[in-house]
Coordinates of all heavy atoms in Angstrom, one line a residue:
S272 N -16.1 17.0 1.7 CA -17.3 16.7 1.0 C -18.3 17.8 1.2 O -18.4 18.4 2.3 CB -17.8 15.3 1.4 OG -19.1 15.1 1.0
L273 N -19.2 18.0 0.3 CA -20.2 19.0 0.4 C -21.1 18.7 1.6 O -21.5 17.6 1.9 CB -21.1 19.0 -0.8 CG -22.2 20.1 -1.0 CD1 -21.5 21.4 -1.3 CD2 -23.2 19.7 -2.0
Q274 N -21.3 19.8 2.4 CA -22.2 19.6 3.6 C -23.6 20.1 3.1 O -23.7 21.2 2.5 CB -21.7 20.4 4.7 CG -22.3 20.0 6.1 CD -21.9 21.0 7.2 OE1 -22.2 22.1 7.2 NE2 -21.1 20.4 8.1
Y275 N -24.6 19.4 3.5 CA -25.9 19.9 3.1 C -26.9 20.0 4.2 O -26.8 19.2 5.2 CB -26.5 19.0 1.9 CG -26.7 17.6 2.3 CD1 -27.9 17.2 3.0 CD2 -25.8 16.6 2.1 CE1 -28.1 15.9 3.4 CE2 -26.0 15.3 2.5 CZ -27.2 14.9 3.1 OH -27.4 13.7 3.5
R276 N -27.8 20.9 4.1 CA -29.0 21.0 5.0 C -30.2 20.9 4.1 O -30.4 21.7 3.2 CB -29.0 22.4 5.7 CG -27.9 22.6 6.7 CD -27.8 24.0 7.2 NE -27.0 24.1 8.4 CZ -25.7 24.1 8.5 NH1 -24.9 23.9 7.4 NH2 -25.1 24.2 9.6
L281 N -29.0 17.6 8.4 CA -27.7 18.1 8.2 C -26.7 17.0 7.8 O -26.6 16.0 8.6 CB -27.2 18.8 9.4 CG -25.7 19.3 9.5 CD1 -25.4 20.3 8.4 CD2 -25.4 19.9 10.9
G282 N -26.1 17.0 6.7 CA -25.3 15.8 6.3 C -24.1 16.1 5.4 O -24.0 17.2 4.9
T283 N -23.3 15.1 5.2 CA -22.3 15.1 4.1 C -22.3 13.7 3.5 O -22.7 12.7 4.0 CB -20.9 15.3 4.7 OG1 -20.6 14.3 5.7 CG2 -20.7 16.7 5.3

Side-chain angles (χ1 to χ4, degrees):
S272 165
L273 187 74
Q274 196 187 68
Y275 63 85
R276 288 169 165 79
L281 170 62
T283 57

